[in-house]
Amino acid sequence: SRGLGDVYKRQALGLARTVRARQSAAEKMRFWRSLYTQDEEGPLGEEALTQLLRDALHASRSGDIAATTSTESFEAVCAEAASLDAAQWSHWAAEQLPTLHAAFEGYVLGMLCGIGNPENRLPPSAAREPLLKHVLHEDQLEGSVLTNATAWLISLALGPAAAGEDRGWRCLYSSSAHGLALSRFAHHAVGYGGPTLLLARCAPLAEQGETCGLTIGAIVDTPWKAGDKFFGGNGCALVQLSPRFHVYRPTGHSQNFAFFNLPADRAAMFRARGEPQLPEVVAFGGQTGGFRLCLEDDLNFLLWHQSDTTYRSNEGEKLSEAKRRVNALELWGFGGIAAEEAQAELLRRKGRDAAKAGSLSLETRRQMAVDDHATRFVLEAGGAHHFVGDELKKSEDREARGINRGESIR
């Protein structure tokens, strides 16, 4: 409803303010918000917030109209933030999407830098949309838990890219392609040398009146490490994509970021040490007796608790703590080429170890496997041979069934 000159003037003044080093993210986002509403203090509303996010996504794509459509859905963000007043919105945006303002600023500055350039090449935005590479087809994401729009939102939540992170996000594991099982997940997760994003899509709890299932997961800032200890750093966070968008960041009070325990031969190891066996789960936050977010029963079910001392809570929403069935699970890596090469090298090393194990006599392999759980644990914890438990057992089974000794061990 404002005249074009008024809008242009406000944009020019706002841009001059936002590029100042002293401006906080909250102050910058308050300005960009003001361009989408006449109510300077009241709620933004669903329509205006959706338009703001679509424009920011358009800007992050360097203004490529062909790549941006009006179908991008931001319902989960609207459910979380559309009713917030100006002060609440500024705080929420600075905490949940700290680089959202960079999408606008990068595009406007790029346009200014492109004046006089015949090819009109714009510098890349600081809030660029990730390039998703699916496990089946790099350009086919239909049915995927992670979409282009949600990947962009998560990249804004991550903030400026840390060392080793890359714009290309690769799907390391997908339950639709690899099967929903802890062993299959471990095969594709272990060894990747960079940060990852784990997402689980759950069926709605119909008995509680839910019509939209919960989609939730975690950002893990370190390589996956199976064991009886928590791992991860302050870059970890829990991420909810539906029915509302929310990022649960660390509190700073505890460091129980992620937990990953595989069955393998650990049951015998714990019995040998006289300790209770730990749950075979993928989990985050809380304690081993009650995690904040937990994937259990071979990753088929998800449990959620409202609070713990590692991750913040969301006072604006109380999710049901009932057990949920997992319909789909995905793990995405965004550590770049170096992270992928680290995983490839580990797989090659495992292949050599497995081949070496297959060349030993059955009696020698049995002797190696007798009462050696402690040694196995030390080797596995140190990132050395993992085949001692799994591959030798597979080899024995094959030999017992009379399978050709020359067959490769998978």
Side-chain angles (χ1 to χ4, degrees):
S1 61
R2 292 192 180 101
L4 181 61
D6 186 25
V7 173
Y8 178 80
K9 181 179 180 180
R10 291 175 62 82
Q11 287 179 332
L13 290 174
L15 180 61
R17 293 171 184 165
T18 55
V19 296
R20 293 176 183 173
R22 295 182 181 180
Q23 291 289 315
S24 66
E27 291 171 324
K28 292 179 178 181
M29 276 315 307
R30 182 157 185 156
F31 159 71
W32 291 107
R33 174 193 179 280
S34 69
L35 299 180
Y36 291 83
T37 178
Q38 296 184 27
D39 187 347
E40 299 292 339
E41 301 298 332
L44 195 56
E46 291 187 15
E47 183 177 354
L49 178 54
T50 298
Q51 190 60 54
L52 183 152
L53 292 172
R54 285 177 178 168
D55 287 350
L57 179 57
H58 173 78
S60 72
R61 293 170 174 171
S62 298
D64 186 355
I65 298 178
T68 306
T69 68
S70 60
T71 61
E72 284 89 357
S73 176
F74 296 103
E75 293 179 2
V77 181
C78 290
E80 177 80 2
S83 61
L84 301 178
D85 62 32
Q88 293 171 330
W89 154 260
S90 299
H91 176 76
W92 179 89
E95 179 181 328
Q96 296 291 304
L97 305 173
T99 56
L100 178 58
H101 63 87
F104 291 108
E105 294 165 18
Y107 175 69
V108 174
L109 291 174
M111 289 293 292
L112 294 176
C113 292
I115 294 177
N117 184 349
E119 297 183 1
N120 197 28
R121 293 179 178 176
L122 305 179
S125 169
R128 291 182 300 168
E129 178 187 19
L131 299 176
L132 303 186
K133 304 172 186 177
H134 199 269
V135 66
L136 297 177
H137 303 285
E138 294 185 1
D139 58 350
Q140 184 174 350
L141 293 169
E142 184 177 355
S144 174
V145 179
L146 185 67
T147 65
N148 288 303
T150 52
W152 174 69
L153 288 173
I154 293 172
S155 72
L156 297 181
L158 288 170
E165 294 179 6
D166 191 79
R167 187 187 177 194
W169 291 19
R170 185 168 70 87
C171 186
L172 305 175
Y173 164 81
S174 170
S175 60
S176 63
H178 303 119
L180 187 58
L182 183 58
S183 60
R184 301 306 302 155
F185 172 81
H187 176 77
H188 294 278
V190 173
Y192 184 79
T196 53
L197 169 68
L198 178 66
L199 291 175
R201 182 167 59 205
C202 303
L205 296 174
E207 64 277 11
Q208 298 191 20
E210 289 187 359
T211 57
C212 177
L214 175 67
T215 300
I216 198 168
I219 296 167
V220 181
D221 64 349
T222 61
W224 287 80
K225 181 179 180 182
D228 57 350
K229 305 292 184 183
F230 283 88
F231 67 97
N234 290 323
C236 293
L238 303 181
V239 180
Q240 180 184 330
L241 299 185
S242 69
R244 299 163 72 109
F245 177 87
H246 194 83
V247 179
Y248 302 83
R249 300 190 185 277
T251 62
H253 301 310
S254 179
Q255 297 185 337
N256 291 353
F257 298 111
F259 183 85
F260 180 36
N261 187 38
L262 291 173
D265 295 307
R266 299 187 187 280
M269 180 197 71
F270 282 112
R271 286 196 300 270
R273 298 196 311 190
E275 299 177 2
Q277 183 180 354
L278 294 174
E280 298 164 0
V281 297
V282 173
F284 307 91
Q287 304 288 336
T288 53
F291 299 101
R292 175 72 175 276
L293 174 63
C294 178
L295 290 161
E296 61 177 24
D297 293 342
D298 214 19
L299 306 183
N300 282 275
F301 290 93
L302 181 145
L303 286 175
W304 166 261
H305 289 96
Q306 297 293 346
S307 63
D308 75 308
T309 57
T310 299
Y311 296 105
R312 299 176 188 174
S313 58
N314 181 13
E315 299 301 328
E317 181 184 31
K318 298 296 183 183
L319 295 173
S320 172
E321 296 188 352
K323 181 179 288 190
R324 299 172 182 269
R325 175 170 287 280
V326 176
N327 285 344
L329 188 69
E330 293 177 357
L331 180 70
W332 292 80
F334 48 98
I337 299 299
E340 295 179 12
E341 289 179 346
Q343 187 177 39
E345 175 58 31
L346 178 63
L347 292 176
R348 286 192 292 267
R349 188 177 68 187
K350 281 188 175 183
R352 292 193 298 268
D353 289 344
K356 186 182 299 183
S359 68
L360 301 177
S361 68
L362 179 59
E363 182 60 31
T364 301
R365 281 175 275 146
R366 284 175 175 169
Q367 185 64 33
M368 290 172 60
V370 173
D371 298 328
D372 197 23
H373 302 298
T375 302
R376 288 167 162 174
F377 175 73
V378 172
L379 288 172
E380 290 179 4
H385 305 289
H386 183 69
F387 72 89
V388 177
D390 290 338
E391 301 299 343
L392 291 180
K393 182 63 171 61
K394 290 179 183 178
S395 181
E396 288 184 23
D397 291 343
R398 289 176 178 224
E399 200 163 317
R401 293 196 304 267
I403 296 179
N404 191 327
R405 288 280 301 278
E407 181 181 352
S408 62
I409 299 176
R410 294 183 180 181

